[in-house]
Amino acid sequence: DEEQEDETKKIVDVSGLGSEECRYLLEKLLTMTVNQTCLATQKEGKIRELDNQIQQAHQQNAMHQQLLQHMIEQQDLEIYDLMLQNEEDSSESDVDTEIL
């Protein structure tokens, strides 16, 4: 650990640098910081956009499921109505047959 600290101090030691070199390093660090911040902001924006698309897809999926369920229920009711009507028709024909 101490060896790493000494090495880091040598790398970070700017005492031997002139004012122009220090200004250059500071400018590079600031430029790098601004660029990294912009990249991070762009990535966060893209993540938010993708999250919104996922939420929208979930909402559409839920709506489609509800619509499908409603259509199935309607179909079931129509089939049930047809079955009742068929039963009524057959019972009426039975009554007509008994009358004859």
Side-chain angles (χ1 to χ4, degrees), residues 20 25 30 32 54-56 63 68 72 74 76 80 97:
E20 287 297 317
L25 283 177
L30 289 173
M32 236 171 75
I54 288 171
Q55 287 177 351
Q56 186 176 12
M63 186 174 59
L68 183 59
I72 290 170
Q74 286 297 110
D76 287 346
Y80 182 71
T97 312

Side-chain angles (χ1 to χ4, degrees), residues 36-74:
Q36 291 299 316
T37 303
C38 287
L39 286 174
T41 303
Q42 288 173 346
K43 286 180 181 180
E44 286 175 4
K46 186 66 175 173
I47 289 170
R48 276 192 224 110
E49 182 181 329
L50 291 173
D51 281 343
N52 287 338
Q53 288 177 356
I54 288 171
Q55 287 177 351
Q56 186 176 12
H58 282 297
Q59 289 172 349
Q60 286 177 343
N61 186 29
M63 186 174 59
H64 288 146
Q65 286 179 346
Q66 289 174 353
L67 179 60
L68 183 59
Q69 185 65 35
H70 176 72
M71 291 175 68
I72 290 170
E73 288 171 1
Q74 286 297 110

Side-chain angles (χ1 to χ4, degrees), residues 60-97:
Q60 286 177 343
N61 186 29
M63 186 174 59
H64 288 146
Q65 286 179 346
Q66 289 174 353
L67 179 60
L68 183 59
Q69 185 65 35
H70 176 72
M71 291 175 68
I72 290 170
E73 288 171 1
Q74 286 297 110
Q75 187 74 19
D76 287 346
L77 286 176
E78 289 174 9
I79 291 171
Y80 182 71
D81 287 344
L82 285 173
M83 287 173 53
L84 285 178
Q85 187 178 15
N86 193 20
E87 286 178 9
E88 288 174 3
D89 289 345
S90 69
S91 62
E92 284 178 8
S93 66
D94 288 344
V95 170
D96 290 342
T97 312

